[in-house]
Amino acid sequence: MTGKEPDRQEVRRRAIVAAARKAFLRNGYGQTSMSAIAADLGGSKTTLWSYFRNKQDLFAAVVDDQVERYGEALRLELPEDADLAETLTALGISVLTTILRPQIIALHRVVVGEAGRFPELGRMLWDRGAERGQQRTEAWLRLQMNKGRLRAVDARVAAAHFLGLCQSGGFYRHLLGAAPRPDQAGIEAEVQLAVQTFLTAYRPDPA
């Protein structure tokens, strides 16, 4: 066995986060109380509060846990000089595969359903997940613009355009429950179309 075994406090913290995740996904944020989570764990609210100050901090830990477990797109290597279309395709597939995971779809649905009463949940999910992915994409696109491989425009806008193209089809319909989750072939087809559209708009004009 390699690596350090987690201590008792870390094991307990993970158990709390796992129980909270199940409760939030089952009942929603507003209908889930710290008391209910403590009851599910067989402990007291005092023990729970020794790890998390309030329900919002606990929900943030759930978001961080899901991003860490399933955020493949945040760990994908983006080579500096690789083929543009190949790198964008790999990135798009990784992004769609990540956000179409049942666990991430369920988390999105909770946040969207509660956004009117608890807008802080949307900011939390954005800052801890999607914003990190957009920043990575933005940095890579800016590098390509500086190299003259893409038109020199606002890299943040370009990143939003690319990621929006990738998410505009099957993901959005599936998030709303209007269509089943796209299979791998469907994901790849959508991303290839997104890459073609993006590069048509952002490649440098011919000399």
Side-chain angles (χ1 to χ4, degrees), residues 8 11 61 139 161 166 199:
R8 288 184 60 188
V11 170
H161 284 171
C166 290
L199 290 178

Side-chain angles (χ1 to χ4, degrees), residues 54-194:
N54 51 49
K55 186 168 68 169
Q56 185 172 324
D57 284 353
L58 183 49
F59 190 82
V62 170
V63 171
D64 289 341
D65 176 70
Q66 296 298 278
V67 170
E68 178 63 26
R69 287 173 182 268
Y70 305 115
E72 294 95 335
L74 296 175
R75 296 184 287 271
L76 179 72
E77 184 179 359
L78 300 176
E80 181 176 331
D81 295 312
D83 180 81
L84 287 177
E86 289 181 1
T87 304
L88 287 170
T89 299
L91 175 60
I93 290 172
S94 182
V95 166
L96 267 187
T97 299
T98 295
I99 63 178
L100 280 166
R101 285 186 175 276
Q103 300 88 345
I104 303 300
I105 287 289
L107 190 60
H108 272 87
R109 287 172 175 166
V110 168
V111 170
V112 170
E114 305 273 16
R117 291 185 298 161
F118 305 103
E120 64 273 15
L121 301 185
R123 291 192 293 270
M124 188 186 301
L125 184 58
W126 172 260
D127 290 342
R128 290 170 135 81
E131 172 68 6
R132 291 170 59 193
Q134 177 149 322
Q135 288 177 351
R136 289 193 76 227
T137 305
E138 176 187 345
W140 186 80
L141 291 176
R142 182 177 293 109
L143 179 61
Q144 304 310 314
M145 291 172 186
N146 291 339
K147 289 174 170 289
R149 304 177 77 195
L150 293 173
R151 287 195 297 113
V153 295
D154 189 324
R156 182 166 182 81
V157 171
H161 284 171
F162 175 67
L163 295 172
L165 285 168
C166 290
Q167 299 173 43
S168 63
F171 165 72
Y172 187 59
R173 292 192 297 273
H174 181 57
L175 179 64
L176 296 178
R181 182 188 186 278
D183 60 16
Q184 190 62 30
I187 289 173
E188 292 175 3
E190 288 193 9
V191 170
Q192 288 170 2
L193 180 58

